[in-house]
Amino acid sequence: MRNRTCVFVIATLIIGACNKDEEPSPANNGGGNAQIDVPTLPADHYDYSTPNLPANVLAYLANEPLLDNTPADNPITDAGATLGRVLYYDKKLSVNNVTACASCHHQDKAFTDGLAFSEGHLGGETRRNAMTTVNLRYYKGKHMFWDLRAEDLETQVVMPITDAIEMGMPSLSELETKLSGISYYPPLFEAAFGDEMITSDRVSKALAQFIRSITSFTSRYDQGLNTGFADFTPQELLGKTLVGTKFCTECHGDVTATGTQDQTFLIGEFFGKNEGFGSNNGLDPSYTDNGYGEISGLAQDQATFKFPSFRNVELTAPYMHDGRFATLEEVMDHYDIGITAHPNAGIQLPPGGIPLTPDEKSAIIAFLKTLTDHSLLTDVRYSDPFTQ
């Protein structure tokens, strides 16, 4: 890789630069890289504002423009997403400087953390499994979290900051004061918003810009769309068919694509609310965590949760809102023989399960692994700027 000039953004603007032989190395916020106190950023912003979308996603967007949930008052800019990247990885956003957004969303795990429940700033456990922050831009439902309690991404991104378990800041006004006293933030806010004023609204917008920029469309599946899946094995092709015929895409696929039609594997209309056909997946006959039902208060929503995407699912174990399944094999067994009778269960899920042979389960898993985007795991645009 050619030499690249990088800068330490401190004080008012840039007071020093260094030549590095490589880009800042991608990190998982807890891996082997040394932590540093100030972010290392490139002299020229990375390109965050130009999404690289495959043809089937572009076609889907043409028919479903609301799939892109970017609000008119917060378009992605390179400077805004750069600020968002720093905020996302900065542990100083927590009250005791030990937890960042990225502490629960590691790049090498497709922005999850590999735990059933994440560890908060004082060592306590979160209530639910950490969901991936990939492709959230292309989610028509807009509402975030397993229980859909945040009405949009801008609302969601600051909620963990003041959560007593997660990051523990007493208030967003105290966050503003804290960030205003950190030397590298005023120039970053000025680059992103035109002046150095630090507000929680701008924090929210910058974080949302960065997260919306994290997209994943270079998996083997995406490549296969251009070749008629010529390099897929017979097992992978069988799995591709089965995810349609065994009802997987009824909840984890596109509204406009059914059966063997090629999916984007973005979540379109199906975002977890019970629209009259059920959306519970039969984990238990009764739930201690009732998900969206706790927010809506409606009987039809009890024990219903936001549907996750199949993209990069190979990397996002453990599975379900409570991380109860350690492997995809356990997930397949659940849908094969583990479905319990629940009044809000999806109509596709009969009590007992959807019969799947061992070969069919293996084929579905083989296909799901073709949705893994390995380039995402090393994309320097999304890496931790506080490591070297």
Side-chain angles (χ1 to χ4, degrees), residues 221-256:
Y221 174 79
D222 295 301
Q223 296 163 10
L225 290 167
N226 298 320
T227 63
F229 304 99
D231 67 336
F232 271 36
T233 67
Q235 184 186 48
E236 291 166 345
L237 290 171
L238 174 60
K240 177 177 177 293
T241 298
L242 289 170
V243 295
T245 59
K246 294 294 184 178
F247 308 114
C248 307
T249 53
E250 290 282 326
C251 296
H252 297 277
D254 312 342
V255 163
T256 55

mmCIF file of all heavy atoms in Angstrom, residues 221-256:
data_model
loop_
_atom_site.group_PDB
_atom_site.id
_atom_site.type_symbol
_atom_site.label_atom_id
_atom_site.label_comp_id
_atom_site.label_asym_id
_atom_site.label_seq_id
_atom_site.Cartn_x
_atom_site.Cartn_y
_atom_site.Cartn_z
ATOM 1 N N TYR A 221 -22.696 -13.968 -2.301
ATOM 2 C CA TYR A 221 -24.057 -13.899 -2.843
ATOM 3 C C TYR A 221 -24.192 -12.706 -3.791
ATOM 4 O O TYR A 221 -24.735 -12.850 -4.897
ATOM 5 C CB TYR A 221 -25.074 -13.788 -1.713
ATOM 6 C CG TYR A 221 -26.492 -13.579 -2.202
ATOM 7 C CD1 TYR A 221 -27.251 -14.645 -2.677
ATOM 8 C CD2 TYR A 221 -27.062 -12.303 -2.231
ATOM 9 C CE1 TYR A 221 -28.551 -14.452 -3.150
ATOM 10 C CE2 TYR A 221 -28.355 -12.102 -2.697
ATOM 11 C CZ TYR A 221 -29.091 -13.182 -3.160
ATOM 12 O OH TYR A 221 -30.373 -12.985 -3.633
ATOM 13 N N ASP A 222 -23.697 -11.544 -3.383
ATOM 14 C CA ASP A 222 -23.786 -10.362 -4.232
ATOM 15 C C ASP A 222 -22.999 -10.562 -5.525
ATOM 16 O O ASP A 222 -23.447 -10.151 -6.600
ATOM 17 C CB ASP A 222 -23.257 -9.142 -3.478
ATOM 18 C CG ASP A 222 -24.124 -8.793 -2.278
ATOM 19 O OD1 ASP A 222 -25.313 -8.524 -2.461
ATOM 20 O OD2 ASP A 222 -23.595 -8.820 -1.150
ATOM 21 N N GLN A 223 -21.847 -11.198 -5.430
ATOM 22 C CA GLN A 223 -21.072 -11.491 -6.629
ATOM 23 C C GLN A 223 -21.811 -12.486 -7.515
ATOM 24 O O GLN A 223 -21.786 -12.384 -8.748
ATOM 25 C CB GLN A 223 -19.701 -12.030 -6.227
ATOM 26 C CG GLN A 223 -18.843 -11.021 -5.466
ATOM 27 C CD GLN A 223 -17.685 -11.654 -4.717
ATOM 28 O OE1 GLN A 223 -17.392 -12.836 -4.906
ATOM 29 N NE2 GLN A 223 -17.025 -10.883 -3.872
ATOM 30 N N GLY A 224 -22.490 -13.433 -6.890
ATOM 31 C CA GLY A 224 -23.222 -14.439 -7.641
ATOM 32 C C GLY A 224 -24.380 -13.880 -8.433
ATOM 33 O O GLY A 224 -24.789 -14.457 -9.462
ATOM 34 N N LEU A 225 -24.942 -12.757 -7.972
ATOM 35 C CA LEU A 225 -26.030 -12.135 -8.718
ATOM 36 C C LEU A 225 -25.593 -11.751 -10.126
ATOM 37 O O LEU A 225 -26.417 -11.690 -11.048
ATOM 38 C CB LEU A 225 -26.523 -10.888 -7.972
ATOM 39 C CG LEU A 225 -27.287 -11.130 -6.669
ATOM 40 C CD1 LEU A 225 -27.434 -9.828 -5.893
ATOM 41 C CD2 LEU A 225 -28.648 -11.739 -6.957
ATOM 42 N N ASN A 226 -24.301 -11.488 -10.295
ATOM 43 C CA ASN A 226 -23.793 -11.073 -11.604
ATOM 44 C C ASN A 226 -23.363 -12.247 -12.475
ATOM 45 O O ASN A 226 -23.080 -12.060 -13.660
ATOM 46 C CB ASN A 226 -22.593 -10.132 -11.419
ATOM 47 C CG ASN A 226 -22.970 -8.863 -10.685
ATOM 48 O OD1 ASN A 226 -24.041 -8.298 -10.928
ATOM 49 N ND2 ASN A 226 -22.106 -8.412 -9.793
ATOM 50 N N THR A 227 -23.291 -13.434 -11.911
ATOM 51 C CA THR A 227 -22.796 -14.595 -12.658
ATOM 52 C C THR A 227 -23.809 -15.731 -12.715
ATOM 53 O O THR A 227 -23.461 -16.828 -13.158
ATOM 54 C CB THR A 227 -21.509 -15.122 -11.994
ATOM 55 O OG1 THR A 227 -21.812 -15.578 -10.668
ATOM 56 C CG2 THR A 227 -20.439 -14.040 -11.931
ATOM 57 N N GLY A 228 -25.024 -15.462 -12.273
ATOM 58 C CA GLY A 228 -26.001 -16.544 -12.208
ATOM 59 C C GLY A 228 -25.632 -17.600 -11.185
ATOM 60 O O GLY A 228 -26.035 -18.752 -11.318
ATOM 61 N N PHE A 229 -24.841 -17.196 -10.182
ATOM 62 C CA PHE A 229 -24.414 -18.091 -9.099
ATOM 63 C C PHE A 229 -23.643 -19.300 -9.638
ATOM 64 O O PHE A 229 -23.744 -20.411 -9.136
ATOM 65 C CB PHE A 229 -25.612 -18.542 -8.255
ATOM 66 C CG PHE A 229 -26.389 -17.392 -7.690
ATOM 67 C CD1 PHE A 229 -27.569 -16.951 -8.292
ATOM 68 C CD2 PHE A 229 -25.926 -16.713 -6.574
ATOM 69 C CE1 PHE A 229 -28.269 -15.876 -7.791
ATOM 70 C CE2 PHE A 229 -26.617 -15.627 -6.066
ATOM 71 C CZ PHE A 229 -27.796 -15.202 -6.664
ATOM 72 N N ALA A 230 -22.841 -19.028 -10.679
ATOM 73 C CA ALA A 230 -22.099 -20.103 -11.336
ATOM 74 C C ALA A 230 -21.093 -20.768 -10.410
ATOM 75 O O ALA A 230 -20.759 -21.948 -10.601
ATOM 76 C CB ALA A 230 -21.382 -19.552 -12.577
ATOM 77 N N ASP A 231 -20.594 -20.043 -9.410
ATOM 78 C CA ASP A 231 -19.585 -20.636 -8.538
ATOM 79 C C ASP A 231 -20.184 -21.214 -7.261
ATOM 80 O O ASP A 231 -19.453 -21.670 -6.390
ATOM 81 C CB ASP A 231 -18.514 -19.599 -8.183
ATOM 82 C CG ASP A 231 -19.054 -18.471 -7.321
ATOM 83 O OD1 ASP A 231 -20.277 -18.221 -7.366
ATOM 84 O OD2 ASP A 231 -18.257 -17.832 -6.600
ATOM 85 N N PHE A 232 -21.503 -21.222 -7.140
ATOM 86 C CA PHE A 232 -22.139 -21.825 -5.974
ATOM 87 C C PHE A 232 -22.097 -23.344 -6.081
ATOM 88 O O PHE A 232 -22.248 -23.915 -7.169
ATOM 89 C CB PHE A 232 -23.598 -21.374 -5.867
ATOM 90 C CG PHE A 232 -23.799 -20.105 -5.081
ATOM 91 C CD1 PHE A 232 -22.874 -19.075 -5.141
ATOM 92 C CD2 PHE A 232 -24.911 -19.932 -4.282
ATOM 93 C CE1 PHE A 232 -23.054 -17.912 -4.428
ATOM 94 C CE2 PHE A 232 -25.106 -18.776 -3.551
ATOM 95 C CZ PHE A 232 -24.177 -17.754 -3.622
ATOM 96 N N THR A 233 -21.893 -23.991 -4.952
ATOM 97 C CA THR A 233 -21.937 -25.451 -4.924
ATOM 98 C C THR A 233 -23.386 -25.916 -5.006
ATOM 99 O O THR A 233 -24.317 -25.143 -4.728
ATOM 100 C CB THR A 233 -21.312 -25.974 -3.628
ATOM 101 O OG1 THR A 233 -22.147 -25.594 -2.516
ATOM 102 C CG2 THR A 233 -19.898 -25.438 -3.431
ATOM 103 N N PRO A 234 -23.629 -27.175 -5.365
ATOM 104 C CA PRO A 234 -25.003 -27.686 -5.345
ATOM 105 C C PRO A 234 -25.658 -27.508 -3.977
ATOM 106 O O PRO A 234 -26.858 -27.212 -3.893
ATOM 107 C CB PRO A 234 -24.828 -29.161 -5.709
ATOM 108 C CG PRO A 234 -23.595 -29.188 -6.557
ATOM 109 C CD PRO A 234 -22.686 -28.160 -5.961
ATOM 110 N N GLN A 235 -24.895 -27.687 -2.913
ATOM 111 C CA GLN A 235 -25.457 -27.502 -1.572
ATOM 112 C C GLN A 235 -25.889 -26.050 -1.348
ATOM 113 O O GLN A 235 -26.975 -25.787 -0.804
ATOM 114 C CB GLN A 235 -24.427 -27.913 -0.520
ATOM 115 C CG GLN A 235 -24.965 -27.853 0.911
ATOM 116 C CD GLN A 235 -23.893 -28.126 1.936
ATOM 117 O OE1 GLN A 235 -22.801 -27.562 1.874
ATOM 118 N NE2 GLN A 235 -24.183 -29.012 2.887
ATOM 119 N N GLU A 236 -25.059 -25.099 -1.763
ATOM 120 C CA GLU A 236 -25.402 -23.680 -1.595
ATOM 121 C C GLU A 236 -26.615 -23.304 -2.437
ATOM 122 O O GLU A 236 -27.483 -22.528 -1.986
ATOM 123 C CB GLU A 236 -24.203 -22.806 -1.958
ATOM 124 C CG GLU A 236 -23.058 -22.928 -0.965
ATOM 125 C CD GLU A 236 -21.753 -22.352 -1.481
ATOM 126 O OE1 GLU A 236 -21.640 -22.110 -2.714
ATOM 127 O OE2 GLU A 236 -20.833 -22.157 -0.665
ATOM 128 N N LEU A 237 -26.709 -23.855 -3.646
ATOM 129 C CA LEU A 237 -27.871 -23.578 -4.493
ATOM 130 C C LEU A 237 -29.141 -24.157 -3.881
ATOM 131 O O LEU A 237 -30.212 -23.521 -3.926
ATOM 132 C CB LEU A 237 -27.648 -24.146 -5.893
ATOM 133 C CG LEU A 237 -26.593 -23.438 -6.746
ATOM 134 C CD1 LEU A 237 -26.317 -24.229 -8.015
ATOM 135 C CD2 LEU A 237 -27.058 -22.016 -7.086
ATOM 136 N N LEU A 238 -29.038 -25.351 -3.308
ATOM 137 C CA LEU A 238 -30.195 -25.927 -2.629
ATOM 138 C C LEU A 238 -30.612 -25.039 -1.461
ATOM 139 O O LEU A 238 -31.803 -24.761 -1.273
ATOM 140 C CB LEU A 238 -29.862 -27.331 -2.125
ATOM 141 C CG LEU A 238 -30.936 -28.011 -1.250
ATOM 142 C CD1 LEU A 238 -32.250 -28.157 -2.015
ATOM 143 C CD2 LEU A 238 -30.430 -29.358 -0.747
ATOM 144 N N GLY A 239 -29.634 -24.575 -0.683
ATOM 145 C CA GLY A 239 -29.946 -23.694 0.434
ATOM 146 C C GLY A 239 -30.598 -22.407 -0.013
ATOM 147 O O GLY A 239 -31.527 -21.905 0.646
ATOM 148 N N LYS A 240 -30.148 -21.868 -1.141
ATOM 149 C CA LYS A 240 -30.744 -20.648 -1.690
ATOM 150 C C LYS A 240 -32.226 -20.857 -1.990
ATOM 151 O O LYS A 240 -33.067 -19.988 -1.719
ATOM 152 C CB LYS A 240 -29.990 -20.230 -2.949
ATOM 153 C CG LYS A 240 -30.539 -19.008 -3.670
ATOM 154 C CD LYS A 240 -29.661 -18.659 -4.863
ATOM 155 C CE LYS A 240 -30.220 -17.487 -5.645
ATOM 156 N NZ LYS A 240 -31.505 -17.793 -6.315
ATOM 157 N N THR A 241 -32.561 -22.004 -2.531
ATOM 158 C CA THR A 241 -33.960 -22.313 -2.807
ATOM 159 C C THR A 241 -34.748 -22.525 -1.511
ATOM 160 O O THR A 241 -35.867 -22.022 -1.361
ATOM 161 C CB THR A 241 -34.062 -23.571 -3.687
ATOM 162 O OG1 THR A 241 -33.424 -23.325 -4.932
ATOM 163 C CG2 THR A 241 -35.517 -23.951 -3.925
ATOM 164 N N LEU A 242 -34.148 -23.220 -0.576
ATOM 165 C CA LEU A 242 -34.855 -23.574 0.656
ATOM 166 C C LEU A 242 -35.199 -22.364 1.514
ATOM 167 O O LEU A 242 -36.240 -22.361 2.187
ATOM 168 C CB LEU A 242 -34.024 -24.565 1.471
ATOM 169 C CG LEU A 242 -33.921 -25.987 0.911
ATOM 170 C CD1 LEU A 242 -32.880 -26.797 1.688
ATOM 171 C CD2 LEU A 242 -35.285 -26.685 0.957
ATOM 172 N N VAL A 243 -34.351 -21.327 1.532
ATOM 173 C CA VAL A 243 -34.697 -20.168 2.357
ATOM 174 C C VAL A 243 -35.973 -19.490 1.857
ATOM 175 O O VAL A 243 -36.653 -18.790 2.617
ATOM 176 C CB VAL A 243 -33.555 -19.135 2.436
ATOM 177 C CG1 VAL A 243 -32.340 -19.712 3.136
ATOM 178 C CG2 VAL A 243 -33.194 -18.569 1.077
ATOM 179 N N GLY A 244 -36.318 -19.718 0.596
ATOM 180 C CA GLY A 244 -37.590 -19.226 0.087
ATOM 181 C C GLY A 244 -38.726 -20.191 0.330
ATOM 182 O O GLY A 244 -39.785 -19.816 0.827
ATOM 183 N N THR A 245 -38.508 -21.458 0.034
ATOM 184 C CA THR A 245 -39.599 -22.429 0.125
ATOM 185 C C THR A 245 -39.896 -22.877 1.549
ATOM 186 O O THR A 245 -40.992 -23.371 1.822
ATOM 187 C CB THR A 245 -39.282 -23.660 -0.738
ATOM 188 O OG1 THR A 245 -38.058 -24.260 -0.296
ATOM 189 C CG2 THR A 245 -39.137 -23.273 -2.204
ATOM 190 N N LYS A 246 -38.965 -22.698 2.446
ATOM 191 C CA LYS A 246 -39.193 -23.056 3.858
ATOM 192 C C LYS A 246 -39.532 -21.828 4.700
ATOM 193 O O LYS A 246 -39.418 -21.849 5.924
ATOM 194 C CB LYS A 246 -37.957 -23.755 4.432
ATOM 195 C CG LYS A 246 -37.667 -25.116 3.790
ATOM 196 C CD LYS A 246 -38.758 -26.136 4.088
ATOM 197 C CE LYS A 246 -38.411 -27.501 3.532
ATOM 198 N NZ LYS A 246 -39.447 -28.526 3.861
ATOM 199 N N PHE A 247 -39.938 -20.753 4.044
ATOM 200 C CA PHE A 247 -40.519 -19.565 4.689
ATOM 201 C C PHE A 247 -39.514 -18.670 5.405
ATOM 202 O O PHE A 247 -39.920 -17.717 6.076
ATOM 203 C CB PHE A 247 -41.633 -19.960 5.675
ATOM 204 C CG PHE A 247 -42.680 -20.860 5.092
ATOM 205 C CD1 PHE A 247 -42.826 -22.158 5.550
ATOM 206 C CD2 PHE A 247 -43.500 -20.417 4.071
ATOM 207 C CE1 PHE A 247 -43.779 -22.993 5.008
ATOM 208 C CE2 PHE A 247 -44.464 -21.241 3.527
ATOM 209 C CZ PHE A 247 -44.606 -22.546 3.988
ATOM 210 N N CYS A 248 -38.204 -18.913 5.268
ATOM 211 C CA CYS A 248 -37.231 -18.050 5.944
ATOM 212 C C CYS A 248 -37.377 -16.592 5.505
ATOM 213 O O CYS A 248 -37.313 -15.668 6.327
ATOM 214 C CB CYS A 248 -35.812 -18.519 5.661
ATOM 215 S SG CYS A 248 -35.487 -20.261 6.012
ATOM 216 N N THR A 249 -37.566 -16.382 4.200
ATOM 217 C CA THR A 249 -37.620 -15.016 3.686
ATOM 218 C C THR A 249 -38.962 -14.360 3.947
ATOM 219 O O THR A 249 -39.131 -13.161 3.667
ATOM 220 C CB THR A 249 -37.324 -14.993 2.173
ATOM 221 O OG1 THR A 249 -38.187 -15.905 1.498
ATOM 222 C CG2 THR A 249 -35.877 -15.366 1.909
ATOM 223 N N GLU A 250 -39.923 -15.093 4.494
ATOM 224 C CA GLU A 250 -41.181 -14.461 4.882
ATOM 225 C C GLU A 250 -40.936 -13.366 5.918
ATOM 226 O O GLU A 250 -41.654 -12.369 5.958
ATOM 227 C CB GLU A 250 -42.148 -15.508 5.448
ATOM 228 C CG GLU A 250 -42.698 -16.484 4.434
ATOM 229 C CD GLU A 250 -43.807 -15.878 3.595
ATOM 230 O OE1 GLU A 250 -44.564 -15.052 4.116
ATOM 231 O OE2 GLU A 250 -43.895 -16.230 2.401
ATOM 232 N N CYS A 251 -39.945 -13.558 6.766
ATOM 233 C CA CYS A 251 -39.619 -12.567 7.797
ATOM 234 C C CYS A 251 -38.257 -11.924 7.600
ATOM 235 O O CYS A 251 -38.007 -10.855 8.159
ATOM 236 C CB CYS A 251 -39.655 -13.211 9.186
ATOM 237 S SG CYS A 251 -41.279 -13.822 9.685
ATOM 238 N N HIS A 252 -37.381 -12.543 6.834
ATOM 239 C CA HIS A 252 -36.006 -12.064 6.723
ATOM 240 C C HIS A 252 -35.643 -11.687 5.295
ATOM 241 O O HIS A 252 -34.486 -11.805 4.895
ATOM 242 C CB HIS A 252 -35.033 -13.139 7.226
ATOM 243 C CG HIS A 252 -35.209 -13.476 8.671
ATOM 244 N ND1 HIS A 252 -34.640 -12.731 9.679
ATOM 245 C CD2 HIS A 252 -35.905 -14.480 9.275
ATOM 246 C CE1 HIS A 252 -34.968 -13.257 10.850
ATOM 247 N NE2 HIS A 252 -35.732 -14.313 10.632
ATOM 248 N N GLY A 253 -36.622 -11.250 4.515
ATOM 249 C CA GLY A 253 -36.327 -10.921 3.132
ATOM 250 C C GLY A 253 -37.126 -9.741 2.639
ATOM 251 O O GLY A 253 -37.677 -8.962 3.412
ATOM 252 N N ASP A 254 -37.201 -9.604 1.335
ATOM 253 C CA ASP A 254 -37.849 -8.472 0.686
ATOM 254 C C ASP A 254 -39.323 -8.755 0.474
ATOM 255 O O ASP A 254 -39.723 -9.881 0.167
ATOM 256 C CB ASP A 254 -37.224 -8.209 -0.680
ATOM 257 C CG ASP A 254 -35.709 -8.188 -0.632
ATOM 258 O OD1 ASP A 254 -35.167 -8.039 0.473
ATOM 259 O OD2 ASP A 254 -35.083 -8.328 -1.695
ATOM 260 N N VAL A 255 -40.112 -7.717 0.566
ATOM 261 C CA VAL A 255 -41.528 -7.855 0.246
ATOM 262 C C VAL A 255 -41.722 -8.227 -1.217
ATOM 263 O O VAL A 255 -42.581 -9.031 -1.565
ATOM 264 C CB VAL A 255 -42.263 -6.532 0.552
ATOM 265 C CG1 VAL A 255 -43.615 -6.480 -0.132
ATOM 266 C CG2 VAL A 255 -42.456 -6.388 2.042
ATOM 267 N N THR A 256 -40.909 -7.636 -2.083
ATOM 268 C CA THR A 256 -41.124 -7.786 -3.523
ATOM 269 C C THR A 256 -40.531 -9.057 -4.105
ATOM 270 O O THR A 256 -40.721 -9.349 -5.276
ATOM 271 C CB THR A 256 -40.527 -6.585 -4.266
ATOM 272 O OG1 THR A 256 -39.153 -6.453 -3.901
ATOM 273 C CG2 THR A 256 -41.263 -5.318 -3.888
#
